[in-house]
Amino acid sequence: LEDTVRAITIERFGDPAGMAMRTVDAPEPAPAQVLIRTAAIGVGGVDAVIRRGTLGSGFPSGMIPGSEIAGRVVGVGDDVDPAWIGRRVWAFTGTSGGYAEYAVAALEDVIPLPDTLSDVDAVTLGSAGTVAHFALLQAGVRSRARVLVRGAAGSIGIAAVQLAVHAGASVVAVTTSSRSRGALLRELGATHALDRSGRSDAADAPESFDVIIDIVGGPDVAQFIDRLAPNGRMVMVGAVAGYPPADFGAALLRSFQQSRSFGTFSLATIPVAERNAARAAQFADGVLTPIVHEILPLERAADAHRAMDQGSVFGRIVLVPGSH
Ligand SMILES: NC(=O)c1ccc[n+]([C@@H]2O[C@H](COP(=O)([O-])OP(=O)(O)OC[C@H]3O[C@@H](n4cnc5c(N)ncnc54)[C@H](OP(=O)(O)O)[C@@H]3O)[C@@H](O)[C@H]2O)c1
């Protein structure tokens, strides 16, 4: 194994131009970790948020971003069965370390890949599919449910739409600011594309929903609570538009007789064994179609982040390291 590896680092937080390709010391697996030679690296929304520098001071300059990789295990830490070496796997690397030719991951965050799923597709389904799965479970989506996925054009939304269709929902509406992304979501089974305010010119646009999966949050949450049918449930999974105002819950109380509910969902509450079982099932069952926006060489990570900042990405941008 090499002593040094090529990696993308964040030299300056803020603009994507602050990212650079560097040669760094090769990572070494600690006990209970494995070393993976990366073949595909997922570019996630959270990477962009960290790079913008808005997540606070916990991230040092010079850090390697990236949390999702696929590739082959090439080394193991103490206490890890050497039989792992040579296996093709998907891994979550935490909030850093992924944009590199080699990365380490805790064994509990590593999942062997079936031959039927490519490295690129594995990092595309990755975490987002699992988040969508458990969020829909939390919201109690059943056959014939009328579902709205708010902010459906991102990785979590794309998975949530497909899983709601698979669960037999009678309506799977989405919000998106783009007609073309609305058309792509319809190809994945969405029945109605609404604008960001939840409106549409179509005569058959649904008025109310049994379930709202909300990835957006922000100032409009109360308006969407008002769109819940009696006993309807809204589950907030993300807050890409920020947290809702403190008084948003007044909308629930105003409609007390409708028995609506609101909750948040974080994957952190799902025990790691359950998370891994759900992820392995998604990797194997073929229910989710991985939507790859673009595949770029690792050295073009800054271009990937520019596209993320422009808001034009539909599906996952995947980075691939050059030949080893
Ligand atoms: N709960 C969990 O366990 C968990 C796990 C991982 C991540 N997350 C959270 O999930 C979110 C990222 O999910 P993602 O990658 O699927 O989302 P994303 O791609 O960042 O955003 C989803 C969509 O929201 C729309 N949008 C963006 N800004 C908006 C605004 N200001 N107002 C209304 N709509 C807006 C955009 O679509 P249009 O332009 O088409 O409208 C965008 O495609 C983050 O908040 C992250 O913290 C949660």
Side-chain angles (χ1 to χ4, degrees), residues 44-46 127-128 131 150-158 175-178 181 196 215-216 236-241 265-268 311 313 316:
V46 70
S127 306
V131 173
R150 185 170 175 235
S155 301
I156 296 173
I158 287 172
T175 71
T176 170
S177 62
S178 141
R181 289 198 288 277
R196 281 187 175 183
I215 296 140
V216 177
M236 191 168 147
V237 180
V240 296
F265 172 74
S266 170
L267 194 62
V313 176
R316 185 74 87 195

mmCIF file of all heavy atoms in Angstrom, residues 44-46 127-128 131 150-158 175-178 181 196 215-216 236-241 265-268 311 313 316, ligand 1:
data_model
loop_
_atom_site.group_PDB
_atom_site.id
_atom_site.type_symbol
_atom_site.label_atom_id
_atom_site.label_comp_id
_atom_site.label_asym_id
_atom_site.label_seq_id
_atom_site.Cartn_x
_atom_site.Cartn_y
_atom_site.Cartn_z
ATOM 1 N N GLY A 44 -22.679 14.603 -1.124
ATOM 2 C CA GLY A 44 -23.934 14.791 -0.402
ATOM 3 C C GLY A 44 -24.195 16.255 -0.068
ATOM 4 O O GLY A 44 -23.277 17.076 -0.058
ATOM 5 N N GLY A 45 -25.485 16.538 0.197
ATOM 6 C CA GLY A 45 -25.872 17.898 0.595
ATOM 7 C C GLY A 45 -25.103 18.342 1.827
ATOM 8 O O GLY A 45 -24.718 19.506 1.954
ATOM 9 N N VAL A 46 -24.856 17.409 2.735
ATOM 10 C CA VAL A 46 -24.182 17.778 3.972
ATOM 11 C C VAL A 46 -22.723 18.175 3.692
ATOM 12 O O VAL A 46 -22.175 19.070 4.357
ATOM 13 C CB VAL A 46 -24.293 16.656 5.029
ATOM 14 C CG1 VAL A 46 -23.475 15.449 4.661
ATOM 15 C CG2 VAL A 46 -23.912 17.152 6.409
ATOM 16 N N SER A 127 -27.059 6.597 2.031
ATOM 17 C CA SER A 127 -27.795 6.981 3.243
ATOM 18 C C SER A 127 -29.199 7.459 2.935
ATOM 19 O O SER A 127 -30.111 7.243 3.731
ATOM 20 C CB SER A 127 -27.102 8.142 3.942
ATOM 21 O OG SER A 127 -25.782 7.865 4.191
ATOM 22 N N ALA A 128 -29.360 8.118 1.802
ATOM 23 C CA ALA A 128 -30.647 8.768 1.525
ATOM 24 C C ALA A 128 -31.787 7.756 1.497
ATOM 25 O O ALA A 128 -32.879 8.011 2.026
ATOM 26 C CB ALA A 128 -30.572 9.518 0.196
ATOM 27 N N VAL A 131 -32.730 6.848 5.047
ATOM 28 C CA VAL A 131 -33.458 7.940 5.723
ATOM 29 C C VAL A 131 -34.911 7.945 5.253
ATOM 30 O O VAL A 131 -35.849 8.009 6.059
ATOM 31 C CB VAL A 131 -32.789 9.301 5.425
ATOM 32 C CG1 VAL A 131 -33.640 10.442 5.977
ATOM 33 C CG2 VAL A 131 -31.381 9.355 5.994
ATOM 34 N N ARG A 150 -42.219 16.918 0.296
ATOM 35 C CA ARG A 150 -41.906 18.339 0.129
ATOM 36 C C ARG A 150 -40.392 18.492 0.010
ATOM 37 O O ARG A 150 -39.660 18.177 0.949
ATOM 38 C CB ARG A 150 -42.439 19.099 1.344
ATOM 39 C CG ARG A 150 -42.273 20.554 1.232
ATOM 40 C CD ARG A 150 -43.003 21.331 2.316
ATOM 41 N NE ARG A 150 -42.634 22.725 2.143
ATOM 42 C CZ ARG A 150 -42.104 23.485 3.085
ATOM 43 N NH1 ARG A 150 -41.940 23.012 4.302
ATOM 44 N NH2 ARG A 150 -41.757 24.719 2.805
ATOM 45 N N GLY A 151 -39.923 18.991 -1.171
ATOM 46 C CA GLY A 151 -38.479 19.062 -1.423
ATOM 47 C C GLY A 151 -37.996 17.755 -2.028
ATOM 48 O O GLY A 151 -36.961 17.207 -1.656
ATOM 49 N N ALA A 152 -38.775 17.251 -3.014
ATOM 50 C CA ALA A 152 -38.560 15.884 -3.503
ATOM 51 C C ALA A 152 -37.391 15.743 -4.458
ATOM 52 O O ALA A 152 -37.001 14.627 -4.777
ATOM 53 C CB ALA A 152 -39.837 15.382 -4.183
ATOM 54 N N ALA A 153 -36.816 16.850 -4.930
ATOM 55 C CA ALA A 153 -35.786 16.736 -5.969
ATOM 56 C C ALA A 153 -34.409 16.368 -5.428
ATOM 57 O O ALA A 153 -33.487 16.155 -6.198
ATOM 58 C CB ALA A 153 -35.710 18.041 -6.766
ATOM 59 N N GLY A 154 -34.256 16.276 -4.109
ATOM 60 C CA GLY A 154 -32.971 15.867 -3.543
ATOM 61 C C GLY A 154 -32.907 14.362 -3.362
ATOM 62 O O GLY A 154 -33.871 13.637 -3.657
ATOM 63 N N SER A 155 -31.784 13.877 -2.880
ATOM 64 C CA SER A 155 -31.582 12.423 -2.765
ATOM 65 C C SER A 155 -32.613 11.761 -1.856
ATOM 66 O O SER A 155 -33.110 10.673 -2.160
ATOM 67 C CB SER A 155 -30.198 12.134 -2.198
ATOM 68 O OG SER A 155 -29.227 12.676 -3.015
ATOM 69 N N ILE A 156 -32.925 12.402 -0.734
ATOM 70 C CA ILE A 156 -33.888 11.790 0.192
ATOM 71 C C ILE A 156 -35.273 11.776 -0.458
ATOM 72 O O ILE A 156 -35.991 10.772 -0.412
ATOM 73 C CB ILE A 156 -33.911 12.548 1.538
ATOM 74 C CG1 ILE A 156 -32.554 12.423 2.228
ATOM 75 C CG2 ILE A 156 -35.028 12.016 2.432
ATOM 76 C CD1 ILE A 156 -32.406 13.279 3.486
ATOM 77 N N GLY A 157 -35.644 12.896 -1.095
ATOM 78 C CA GLY A 157 -36.959 12.982 -1.726
ATOM 79 C C GLY A 157 -37.121 11.975 -2.851
ATOM 80 O O GLY A 157 -38.173 11.328 -2.979
ATOM 81 N N ILE A 158 -36.097 11.841 -3.677
ATOM 82 C CA ILE A 158 -36.163 10.892 -4.802
ATOM 83 C C ILE A 158 -36.415 9.481 -4.275
ATOM 84 O O ILE A 158 -37.222 8.731 -4.827
ATOM 85 C CB ILE A 158 -34.855 10.962 -5.625
ATOM 86 C CG1 ILE A 158 -34.821 12.265 -6.437
ATOM 87 C CG2 ILE A 158 -34.721 9.753 -6.546
ATOM 88 C CD1 ILE A 158 -33.487 12.531 -7.131
ATOM 89 N N THR A 175 -43.243 18.579 -4.175
ATOM 90 C CA THR A 175 -42.998 19.983 -4.475
ATOM 91 C C THR A 175 -41.615 20.098 -5.103
ATOM 92 O O THR A 175 -40.676 19.412 -4.702
ATOM 93 C CB THR A 175 -43.051 20.900 -3.237
ATOM 94 O OG1 THR A 175 -41.914 20.661 -2.410
ATOM 95 C CG2 THR A 175 -44.328 20.711 -2.442
ATOM 96 N N THR A 176 -41.529 20.964 -6.113
ATOM 97 C CA THR A 176 -40.247 21.273 -6.745
ATOM 98 C C THR A 176 -40.383 22.616 -7.451
ATOM 99 O O THR A 176 -41.471 22.980 -7.905
ATOM 100 C CB THR A 176 -39.806 20.191 -7.754
ATOM 101 O OG1 THR A 176 -38.684 20.671 -8.493
ATOM 102 C CG2 THR A 176 -40.911 19.808 -8.725
ATOM 103 N N SER A 177 -39.268 23.337 -7.523
ATOM 104 C CA SER A 177 -39.298 24.650 -8.182
ATOM 105 C C SER A 177 -39.102 24.520 -9.689
ATOM 106 O O SER A 177 -39.151 25.511 -10.400
ATOM 107 C CB SER A 177 -38.191 25.540 -7.604
ATOM 108 O OG SER A 177 -36.920 24.973 -7.866
ATOM 109 N N SER A 178 -38.895 23.291 -10.175
ATOM 110 C CA SER A 178 -38.504 23.130 -11.579
ATOM 111 C C SER A 178 -39.445 22.179 -12.311
ATOM 112 O O SER A 178 -39.707 21.075 -11.848
ATOM 113 C CB SER A 178 -37.060 22.609 -11.622
ATOM 114 O OG SER A 178 -36.878 21.665 -12.639
ATOM 115 N N ARG A 181 -37.597 18.970 -13.295
ATOM 116 C CA ARG A 181 -37.414 18.013 -12.197
ATOM 117 C C ARG A 181 -38.763 17.377 -11.819
ATOM 118 O O ARG A 181 -38.830 16.211 -11.455
ATOM 119 C CB ARG A 181 -36.743 18.685 -10.999
ATOM 120 C CG ARG A 181 -35.275 19.019 -11.266
ATOM 121 C CD ARG A 181 -34.485 19.271 -9.990
ATOM 122 N NE ARG A 181 -34.809 20.522 -9.336
ATOM 123 C CZ ARG A 181 -34.303 21.711 -9.656
ATOM 124 N NH1 ARG A 181 -33.427 21.804 -10.630
ATOM 125 N NH2 ARG A 181 -34.661 22.804 -9.008
ATOM 126 N N ARG A 196 -43.233 25.100 -5.092
ATOM 127 C CA ARG A 196 -42.712 25.064 -3.716
ATOM 128 C C ARG A 196 -43.756 25.438 -2.675
ATOM 129 O O ARG A 196 -43.660 25.052 -1.519
ATOM 130 C CB ARG A 196 -41.503 25.994 -3.592
ATOM 131 C CG ARG A 196 -40.221 25.394 -4.135
ATOM 132 C CD ARG A 196 -39.058 26.308 -3.809
ATOM 133 N NE ARG A 196 -37.780 25.716 -4.211
ATOM 134 C CZ ARG A 196 -36.603 26.281 -3.995
ATOM 135 N NH1 ARG A 196 -36.536 27.461 -3.388
ATOM 136 N NH2 ARG A 196 -35.497 25.689 -4.379
ATOM 137 N N ILE A 215 -38.729 17.785 3.706
ATOM 138 C CA ILE A 215 -37.274 17.916 3.719
ATOM 139 C C ILE A 215 -36.892 19.393 3.764
ATOM 140 O O ILE A 215 -35.744 19.749 3.927
ATOM 141 C CB ILE A 215 -36.693 17.197 2.469
ATOM 142 C CG1 ILE A 215 -37.004 15.697 2.560
ATOM 143 C CG2 ILE A 215 -35.185 17.378 2.334
ATOM 144 C CD1 ILE A 215 -37.389 15.037 1.286
ATOM 145 N N VAL A 216 -37.905 20.279 3.633
ATOM 146 C CA VAL A 216 -37.632 21.710 3.438
ATOM 147 C C VAL A 216 -37.693 22.511 4.745
ATOM 148 O O VAL A 216 -36.812 23.314 5.030
ATOM 149 C CB VAL A 216 -38.611 22.305 2.396
ATOM 150 C CG1 VAL A 216 -38.388 23.803 2.251
ATOM 151 C CG2 VAL A 216 -38.439 21.605 1.043
ATOM 152 N N MET A 236 -40.872 15.843 9.643
ATOM 153 C CA MET A 236 -39.814 16.708 9.122
ATOM 154 C C MET A 236 -38.484 15.953 9.176
ATOM 155 O O MET A 236 -38.052 15.513 10.234
ATOM 156 C CB MET A 236 -39.745 17.970 9.971
ATOM 157 C CG MET A 236 -38.882 19.030 9.380
ATOM 158 S SD MET A 236 -39.165 20.565 10.289
ATOM 159 C CE MET A 236 -37.544 21.217 10.157
ATOM 160 N N VAL A 237 -37.880 15.810 8.006
ATOM 161 C CA VAL A 237 -36.673 15.002 7.864
ATOM 162 C C VAL A 237 -35.451 15.886 7.635
ATOM 163 O O VAL A 237 -34.324 15.523 7.945
ATOM 164 C CB VAL A 237 -36.847 14.016 6.684
ATOM 165 C CG1 VAL A 237 -35.616 13.162 6.498
ATOM 166 C CG2 VAL A 237 -38.068 13.148 6.882
ATOM 167 N N GLY A 238 -35.689 17.039 7.058
ATOM 168 C CA GLY A 238 -34.603 17.978 6.782
ATOM 169 C C GLY A 238 -35.124 19.390 6.922
ATOM 170 O O GLY A 238 -36.336 19.613 7.062
ATOM 171 N N ALA A 239 -34.209 20.338 6.895
ATOM 172 C CA ALA A 239 -34.589 21.746 7.034
ATOM 173 C C ALA A 239 -33.736 22.572 6.075
ATOM 174 O O ALA A 239 -33.038 23.487 6.492
ATOM 175 C CB ALA A 239 -34.411 22.196 8.472
ATOM 176 N N VAL A 240 -33.822 22.212 4.782
ATOM 177 C CA VAL A 240 -32.952 22.905 3.828
ATOM 178 C C VAL A 240 -33.292 24.395 3.734
ATOM 179 O O VAL A 240 -32.455 25.195 3.337
ATOM 180 C CB VAL A 240 -32.949 22.251 2.420
ATOM 181 C CG1 VAL A 240 -32.376 20.837 2.470
ATOM 182 C CG2 VAL A 240 -34.313 22.251 1.781
ATOM 183 N N ALA A 241 -34.523 24.784 4.136
ATOM 184 C CA ALA A 241 -34.878 26.209 4.151
ATOM 185 C C ALA A 241 -34.825 26.772 5.573
ATOM 186 O O ALA A 241 -35.367 27.843 5.846
ATOM 187 C CB ALA A 241 -36.260 26.420 3.543
ATOM 188 N N PHE A 265 -37.823 13.479 12.332
ATOM 189 C CA PHE A 265 -37.195 12.169 12.234
ATOM 190 C C PHE A 265 -35.708 12.330 11.994
ATOM 191 O O PHE A 265 -35.292 13.062 11.092
ATOM 192 C CB PHE A 265 -37.780 11.321 11.089
ATOM 193 C CG PHE A 265 -36.961 10.075 10.913
ATOM 194 C CD1 PHE A 265 -37.074 9.051 11.828
ATOM 195 C CD2 PHE A 265 -36.001 9.974 9.917
ATOM 196 C CE1 PHE A 265 -36.259 7.925 11.738
ATOM 197 C CE2 PHE A 265 -35.184 8.856 9.823
ATOM 198 C CZ PHE A 265 -35.318 7.829 10.737
ATOM 199 N N SER A 266 -34.909 11.626 12.774
ATOM 200 C CA SER A 266 -33.470 11.556 12.536
ATOM 201 C C SER A 266 -33.038 10.099 12.520
ATOM 202 O O SER A 266 -33.398 9.321 13.411
ATOM 203 C CB SER A 266 -32.701 12.298 13.628
ATOM 204 O OG SER A 266 -31.320 11.997 13.477
ATOM 205 N N LEU A 267 -32.235 9.774 11.528
ATOM 206 C CA LEU A 267 -31.727 8.401 11.408
ATOM 207 C C LEU A 267 -30.915 8.009 12.642
ATOM 208 O O LEU A 267 -30.769 6.824 12.950
ATOM 209 C CB LEU A 267 -30.867 8.290 10.137
ATOM 210 C CG LEU A 267 -30.520 6.885 9.677
ATOM 211 C CD1 LEU A 267 -31.770 6.085 9.317
ATOM 212 C CD2 LEU A 267 -29.565 6.915 8.486
ATOM 213 N N ALA A 268 -30.410 9.019 13.359
ATOM 214 C CA ALA A 268 -29.591 8.744 14.552
ATOM 215 C C ALA A 268 -30.374 7.945 15.597
ATOM 216 O O ALA A 268 -29.776 7.316 16.469
ATOM 217 C CB ALA A 268 -29.098 10.054 15.155
ATOM 218 N N GLY A 311 -28.137 24.518 -7.383
ATOM 219 C CA GLY A 311 -29.467 23.946 -7.162
ATOM 220 C C GLY A 311 -30.030 23.248 -8.385
ATOM 221 O O GLY A 311 -31.239 23.083 -8.506
ATOM 222 N N VAL A 313 -29.008 20.161 -9.446
ATOM 223 C CA VAL A 313 -28.674 18.732 -9.422
ATOM 224 C C VAL A 313 -29.944 17.914 -9.184
ATOM 225 O O VAL A 313 -30.745 18.227 -8.314
ATOM 226 C CB VAL A 313 -27.651 18.451 -8.300
ATOM 227 C CG1 VAL A 313 -27.360 16.971 -8.188
ATOM 228 C CG2 VAL A 313 -26.369 19.232 -8.560
ATOM 229 N N ARG A 316 -27.662 12.069 -7.638
ATOM 230 C CA ARG A 316 -26.373 12.135 -6.951
ATOM 231 C C ARG A 316 -25.249 12.463 -7.921
ATOM 232 O O ARG A 316 -25.176 11.879 -9.002
ATOM 233 C CB ARG A 316 -26.110 10.761 -6.326
ATOM 234 C CG ARG A 316 -24.865 10.691 -5.476
ATOM 235 C CD ARG A 316 -24.988 11.358 -4.143
ATOM 236 N NE ARG A 316 -25.523 10.461 -3.130
ATOM 237 C CZ ARG A 316 -25.989 10.857 -1.967
ATOM 238 N NH1 ARG A 316 -26.022 12.139 -1.654
ATOM 239 N NH2 ARG A 316 -26.438 9.983 -1.099
HETATM 240 N N1 LIG B 1 -33.282 13.077 9.181
HETATM 241 C C1 LIG B 1 -32.139 12.504 8.923
HETATM 242 O O1 LIG B 1 -31.772 11.494 9.506
HETATM 243 C C2 LIG B 1 -31.261 13.103 7.886
HETATM 244 C C3 LIG B 1 -30.172 12.403 7.373
HETATM 245 C C4 LIG B 1 -29.399 13.003 6.379
HETATM 246 C C5 LIG B 1 -29.719 14.281 5.945
HETATM 247 N N2 LIG B 1 -30.772 14.948 6.503
HETATM 248 C C6 LIG B 1 -31.158 16.283 6.078
HETATM 249 O O2 LIG B 1 -31.737 16.217 4.801
HETATM 250 C C7 LIG B 1 -31.501 17.425 4.113
HETATM 251 C C8 LIG B 1 -30.821 17.124 2.787
HETATM 252 O O3 LIG B 1 -31.648 16.278 2.012
HETATM 253 P P1 LIG B 1 -31.482 16.231 0.446
HETATM 254 O O4 LIG B 1 -30.031 16.094 0.110
HETATM 255 O O5 LIG B 1 -32.458 15.259 -0.059
HETATM 256 O O6 LIG B 1 -31.999 17.696 0.113
HETATM 257 P P2 LIG B 1 -31.454 18.773 -0.918
HETATM 258 O O7 LIG B 1 -31.114 18.103 -2.178
HETATM 259 O O8 LIG B 1 -30.442 19.622 -0.258
HETATM 260 O O9 LIG B 1 -32.787 19.639 -1.084
HETATM 261 C C9 LIG B 1 -34.022 19.052 -1.496
HETATM 262 C C10 LIG B 1 -34.775 19.990 -2.383
HETATM 263 O O10 LIG B 1 -35.345 21.041 -1.628
HETATM 264 C C11 LIG B 1 -35.633 22.135 -2.504
HETATM 265 N N3 LIG B 1 -35.220 23.357 -1.825
HETATM 266 C C12 LIG B 1 -33.963 23.782 -1.601
HETATM 267 N N4 LIG B 1 -33.957 24.960 -0.943
HETATM 268 C C13 LIG B 1 -35.263 25.265 -0.741
HETATM 269 C C14 LIG B 1 -35.923 26.369 -0.121
HETATM 270 N N5 LIG B 1 -35.246 27.381 0.433
HETATM 271 N N6 LIG B 1 -37.281 26.350 -0.082
HETATM 272 C C15 LIG B 1 -37.973 25.322 -0.636
HETATM 273 N N7 LIG B 1 -37.394 24.277 -1.262
HETATM 274 C C16 LIG B 1 -36.061 24.241 -1.300
HETATM 275 C C17 LIG B 1 -34.843 21.896 -3.781
HETATM 276 O O11 LIG B 1 -35.712 21.465 -4.811
HETATM 277 P P3 LIG B 1 -36.453 22.463 -5.840
HETATM 278 O O12 LIG B 1 -35.486 23.554 -6.225
HETATM 279 O O13 LIG B 1 -36.802 21.565 -6.975
HETATM 280 O O14 LIG B 1 -37.638 22.973 -5.111
HETATM 281 C C18 LIG B 1 -33.954 20.709 -3.421
HETATM 282 O O15 LIG B 1 -33.707 19.841 -4.502
HETATM 283 C C19 LIG B 1 -30.620 18.276 5.023
HETATM 284 O O16 LIG B 1 -31.471 19.162 5.739
HETATM 285 C C20 LIG B 1 -30.011 17.251 5.947
HETATM 286 O O17 LIG B 1 -29.648 17.800 7.189
HETATM 287 C C21 LIG B 1 -31.556 14.362 7.430
#
